[in-house]
Amino acid sequence: MANGGRRSLVGIDLGTTQSVIAHLDATGIVSTIPNREGDMLTASAIYLDGNQALVGNAAKQAASHTPDKVATFIKRDMGRALYSRAVDGRQFRPETLSAIILRKLKQDAERRIPPIGKAVITVPAYFDDARRKATEDAARIAGFDSIEIINEPTAAAIAYCLEGQLSRDGSVASPDFPDGKLTALVYDLGGGTFDVTAIRLESKRIDTLATDGAVKLGGKDWDDRIVQYVVRQFAERYGVKIPEDRQQAIANHAESTKKLLTDLPSAPVECFYQDHALRLTLTRAEFEEMTRDLIVQTDVITNSVVSKSVFQGQQLGWKDFNRVLLVGGSTRMPMVKKTLQQISGKEPDDSPDPDQVVARGAAIFAAIKAARGIESDLTVEDSLQQELQDIDVIDVNAHSLGIAVKHPKTKEPMTAVLIPKNRQLPFAMSKVFHLTEQGATAVRVQVLEGEAPDPFSNILLGEVRVTGLPPNLPKRAPVQVRLAYNPNGRVSVMALDMTGGRFAHAEIERKSGLTDADIEREAEFVRSLKIQ
Ligand code: ADP
Ligand code: MG
């Protein structure tokens, strides 16, 4: 009985357009687990009809004829109160819809592996606290017991550096970086989002150096350019304007055209509407021309991440990077490799599978976490456990963390940044506040994410509430508030009553997000669905 009551360690890439689940076995072998339909990639699309939920490719296809019953691009709404529109006549929280996708991945995977014990779910590095919390809440709604989150580029770097090494001799050195040192730029262009991160690997430690991205830049924008082209051609030739709600059908077709253009110099474009049939040929050169500004946007962000990369006090430049790693399905487009080659002067590395590398790295991270934990049913083989325990993964914060204060002279509201962005995590800063009234037992401080001097231009994360201070504190009694980014990018708070030298109770009352009771109610709803 080799694996006894062992529970599984999995990594999940909950993508904007596609999701992937991978598993790490007791000997350190990583495998991507196909869904019930036999696909490694599950489209992040849900078709809802009463208590029936269909997740995956079929749901994505259904969007062409029954768009009102299909939810896609849910990840773009994470952190908001509601999904952008009604689905099957109902309003949903993005967490709940994400939970339905997670549930599908879980139930399909558990047909092949032991019940999931620990899951690591990936998030874009630029996800703020509200979006990270929404992802964790989605996992709780889906019924995962033990979850962690990790940044997608970091997960990709883990897979790149460690996959295949673990079960061998425990060294992270590979023929490509013999001394075990590597400075890499992870370029992730997915379906809906773009993310660039600079990473340094040295002696079993993975450090994130800098990160940036765009929340709304991805393969969909390339598809949309083809859709716009078709709509324009239709209008020019037939004088007919194709209505918005019919454009979804064109979008699915446009995506296939785009993919064909990855491998072929030209591809057909078709559109049928009313009595007209439009048949055109789009060349790769034309496609590259109509999307040039999108690529330029990725270049600007990529160069800015390189210029923000500092290692051991040294400012890095392109010459210091020995690898450019391609992640995300959209990096298959030849124009991406071409441009990256031009700006970096290096041949980008497309050796890891760009669709699976994130989930696979997350599975390894689940094992790193489990190796340090105490749950005995999450063990791996002893030698592997030793290896995993020594690996350190250090991330940075993508957003500055601050508080709203009044300008000392003008009394205008302003942001006081406590933790600037791109600091290695965990990172904490304290600030002393003074009670405004005698006998006050609470302090209220607004916590902001972002860099703008004007507090209203930043994201209001919530309000720190310090409670349970001893009664009868004098006016202006000092209370120290300590804000921290945890290793996983979540924000936490502590408070110290400096008069009595005791910790007070402190929490962040978040402006958005679910309470425990909400999560239980949503979980009950998701359990009531028949998910396929
Ligand atoms: P996400 O992380 O946002 O879910 P993925 O990394 O899975 O996204 O990438 C999905 C995107 O990759 C989609 O926009 C898809 O059209 C695009 N894509 C996949 N294969 C190809 C290809 N061969 N050529 C061009 N684009 C592709
Ligand atoms: Mg992705």
Side-chain angles (χ1 to χ4, degrees):
M1 197 176 74
N3 286 340
R6 184 176 179 268
R7 286 183 297 149
S8 301
L9 299 164
V10 299
I12 297 177
D13 175 1
L14 181 62
T16 313
T17 50
Q18 308 184 111
S19 297
V20 182
I21 181 165
H23 167 239
L24 185 121
D25 76 6
T27 66
I29 307 275
V30 185
S31 46
T32 305
I33 312 168
N35 60 21
R36 244 183 115 136
E37 293 73 44
D39 301 323
M40 298 294 196
L41 314 178
T42 300
S44 305
I46 309 170
Y47 170 88
L48 270 172
D49 187 14
N51 74 339
Q52 306 273 326
L54 186 63
V55 179
N57 220 4
K60 182 177 170 182
Q61 297 306 323
S64 301
H65 43 274
T66 50
D68 296 347
K69 287 183 182 289
V70 179
T72 53
F73 290 93
I74 298 149
K75 195 172 179 176
R76 283 189 165 176
D77 291 337
M78 287 295 256
R80 300 213 182 116
L82 289 176
Y83 178 61
S84 54
R85 55 184 175 76
V87 186
D88 192 29
R90 292 170 281 175
Q91 298 287 346
F92 288 96
R93 298 233 20 145
E95 292 95 327
T96 309
L97 294 171
S98 295
I100 295 172
I101 297 172
L102 288 172
R103 188 101 192 160
K104 154 83 175 170
L105 297 169
K106 183 177 191 286
Q107 76 187 30
D108 283 11
E110 285 177 345
R111 289 158 58 92
R112 294 174 186 257
I113 57 171
I116 294 168
K118 187 182 269 303
V120 168
I121 302 179
T122 65
V123 293
Y126 62 78
F127 254 29
D128 58 22
D129 185 79
R131 293 180 170 116
R132 284 170 197 265
K133 177 175 189 298
T135 307
E136 288 175 349
D137 287 348
R140 287 166 67 196
I141 294 169
F144 285 88
D145 303 331
S146 165
I147 49 143
E148 298 272 348
I149 49 175
I150 186 178
N151 289 340
E152 282 156 16
T154 311
I158 291 175
Y160 186 77
C161 300
L162 301 182
E163 209 189 316
Q165 304 298 319
L166 288 177
S167 43
R168 280 189 238 147
D169 57 2
S171 90
V172 292
S174 100
D176 293 336
F177 35 104
D179 55 356
K181 293 181 186 169
L182 175 79
T183 309
L185 193 88
V186 182
Y187 176 104
D188 181 351
L189 187 61
T193 56
F194 175 60
D195 223 326
V196 189
T197 303
I199 297 227
R200 169 78 184 179
L201 166 83
E202 192 170 320
S203 26
K204 291 204 144 195
R205 189 181 144 120
I206 295 176
D207 276 301
T208 299
L209 307 179
T211 188
D212 204 352
V215 198
K216 291 201 170 171
L217 182 62
K220 184 183 190 307
D221 299 289
W222 272 258
D223 302 345
D224 284 347
R225 290 294 161 87
I226 300 182
V227 174
Q228 288 159 15
Y229 173 72
V230 169
V231 171
R232 243 184 358 253
Q233 292 291 324
F234 225 88
E236 270 174 31
R237 289 183 187 209
Y238 312 115
V240 175
K241 180 160 172 16
I242 302 176
E244 290 271 334
D245 60 343
R246 292 298 300 266
Q247 293 183 10
Q248 180 59 48
I250 311 177
N252 280 348
H253 182 73
E255 192 187 2
S256 334
T257 305
K258 173 187 76 175
K259 288 184 183 173
L260 278 176
L261 287 173
T262 289
D263 299 315
L264 301 171
S266 65
V269 181
E270 289 176 347
C271 177
F272 309 100
Y273 183 61
Q274 290 178 350
D275 297 336
H276 307 289
L278 179 76
R279 285 196 181 84
L280 296 169
T281 301
L282 187 65
T283 67
R284 189 190 286 163
E286 286 168 334
F287 178 53
E288 293 186 354
E289 195 47 51
M290 65 173 77
T291 54
R292 181 145 338 263
D293 60 304
L294 299 174
I295 275 287
V296 170
Q297 285 180 49
T298 71
D299 290 351
V300 171
I301 295 172
T302 306
N303 280 324
S304 104
V305 167
V306 170
S307 70
K308 279 185 230 143
S309 299
V310 177
F311 181 64
Q312 293 178 343
Q314 286 260 299
Q315 166 67 55
L316 306 184
W318 271 116
K319 62 172 181 354
D320 302 302
F321 284 83
N322 10 48
R323 235 5 132 262
V324 179
L325 298 182
L326 297 180
V327 179
S330 298
T331 60
R332 292 205 176 86
M333 293 189 293
M335 68 179 96
V336 169
K337 288 182 194 146
K338 230 172 9 195
T339 325
L340 263 177
Q341 215 274 337
Q342 275 162 11
I343 64 168
S344 71
K346 291 164 224 299
E347 200 57 47
D349 188 339
D350 60 0
S351 57
D353 184 312
D355 297 312
Q356 298 180 22
V357 65
V358 168
R360 296 171 80 93
I364 298 174
F365 191 66
I368 292 174
K369 283 287 179 177
R372 296 183 181 179
I374 46 165
E375 295 139 288
S376 58
D377 55 350
L378 288 177
T379 51
V380 291
E381 283 178 2
D382 287 349
S383 59
L384 181 58
Q385 172 128 2
Q386 284 296 320
E387 248 174 77
L388 291 167
Q389 270 169 354
D390 297 342
I391 298 170
D392 273 320
V393 179
I394 319 281
D395 257 310
V396 297
N397 54 318
H399 307 278
S400 301
L401 192 68
I403 50 174
V405 293
K406 284 206 177 82
H407 190 281
K409 290 206 181 100
T410 64
K411 303 293 174 205
E412 289 290 309
M414 59 177 269
T415 306
V417 170
L418 291 187
I419 307 180
K421 68 175 175 179
N422 286 322
R423 285 299 142 98
Q424 294 203 320
L425 308 185
F427 197 101
M429 279 296 274
S430 301
K431 193 167 164 56
V432 176
F433 293 86
H434 297 273
L435 297 186
T436 46
E437 285 165 39
Q438 189 185 351
T441 53
V443 175
R444 300 188 84 96
V445 188
Q446 290 193 324
V447 183
L448 309 162
E449 275 187 307
E451 289 75 46
D454 172 9
F456 300 108
S457 303
N458 289 320
I459 293 170
L460 175 61
L461 198 151
E463 212 166 61
V464 171
R465 260 175 61 85
V466 180
T467 49
L469 288 170
N472 305 324
L473 283 177
K475 188 176 176 186
R476 298 211 41 83
V479 175
Q480 189 183 57
V481 174
R482 183 175 175 276
L483 280 172
Y485 268 116
N486 302 339
N488 62 1
R490 290 293 316 275
V491 177
S492 65
V493 64
M494 274 171 38
L496 180 71
D497 155 29
M498 294 172 79
T499 314
R502 263 188 298 259
F503 284 107
H505 179 75
E507 62 185 344
I508 301 179
E509 252 178 23
R510 289 177 162 77
K511 284 293 143 200
S512 60
L514 297 167
T515 63
D516 288 350
D518 295 333
I519 289 172
E520 188 34 53
R521 192 192 57 237
E522 298 299 299
E524 204 176 309
F525 165 73
V526 172
R527 281 195 298 270
S528 76
L529 292 175
K530 185 170 181 300
I531 299 172
Q532 270 185 307

